[in-house]
């Protein structure tokens, strides 16, 4: 299995996990010129932008959670701004940025993993 296939499989696992925990998934792999957001959904009244990161056990690149650095966070925020604009989301709609970190087969969902930058 190549890297893209593994990534797709892990994103699917993350979506199943999120849906099982109450997230209503609206969109996957939203892309624009500014970048991509892996999963967009609703958690109650919150519009949630979710980054999915996977690392094999024992990866020399660090944990999956460590892979969502400040640069990635800024990019996700810019893509979220564009998404909200084209979908005419109300300015007062509460939003949240979550991360699903998958290390090996261990899934960890971090709600409100970072603030809007």
């Amino acid at each position: 299995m190549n890297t893209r296939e593994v990534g797709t499989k892990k994103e699917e696992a993350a979506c199943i996990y999120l849906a099982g925990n109450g997230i209503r998934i609206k969109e996957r792999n939203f892309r624009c010129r500014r970048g991509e957001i892996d999963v967009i959904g609703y958690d109650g009244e919150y519009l949630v932008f979710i980054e999915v990161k996977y690392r094999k056990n024992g990866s020399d690149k660090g944990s999956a959670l460590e892979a969502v650095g400040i640069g990635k966070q800024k990019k996700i925020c810019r893509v979220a701004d564009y998404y909200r604009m084209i979908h005419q989301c109300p300015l007062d709609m509460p939003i949240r940025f979550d991360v699903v970190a998958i290390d090996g087969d261990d899934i960890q969902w971090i709600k409100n993993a970072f603030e809007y930058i």
Side-chain angles (χ1 to χ4, degrees), residues 39-55:
V39 181
I40 301 170
Y42 288 98
D43 187 12
E45 64 182 8
Y46 281 85
L47 177 60
V48 186
F49 300 95
I50 305 163
E51 177 69 9
V52 178
K53 282 295 181 188
Y54 167 71
R55 293 287 185 260

Side-chain angles (χ1 to χ4, degrees), residues 40-97:
I40 301 170
Y42 288 98
D43 187 12
E45 64 182 8
Y46 281 85
L47 177 60
V48 186
F49 300 95
I50 305 163
E51 177 69 9
V52 178
K53 282 295 181 188
Y54 167 71
R55 293 287 185 260
K56 287 191 261 184
N57 280 337
S59 173
D60 59 352
K61 296 180 182 179
S63 74
L65 186 56
E66 293 170 334
V68 186
I70 192 80
K72 184 67 172 174
Q73 292 172 21
K74 286 179 181 179
K75 185 176 276 195
I76 291 168
C77 290
R78 299 296 81 81
V79 176
D81 286 344
Y82 180 73
Y83 180 89
R84 291 167 50 205
M85 181 190 73
I86 65 170
H87 289 280
Q88 300 177 340
C89 295
L91 292 175
D92 62 348
M93 174 180 275
I95 64 169
R96 195 174 75 211
F97 299 96

Side-chain angles (χ1 to χ4, degrees), residues 7-27:
T8 299
K9 183 178 174 185
K10 295 302 179 178
E11 267 187 26
E12 182 63 32
C15 286
I16 291 168
Y17 178 87
L18 290 165
N21 283 282
I23 295 289
R24 295 182 327 272
I25 296 172
K26 182 174 182 189
E27 195 158 344

Side-chain angles (χ1 to χ4, degrees), residues 96-114:
R96 195 174 75 211
F97 299 96
D98 293 0
V99 173
V100 173
I102 305 173
D103 288 295
D105 291 326
D106 181 42
I107 297 177
Q108 183 181 12
W109 176 23
I110 300 90
K111 293 182 181 182
N112 205 27
F114 59 91

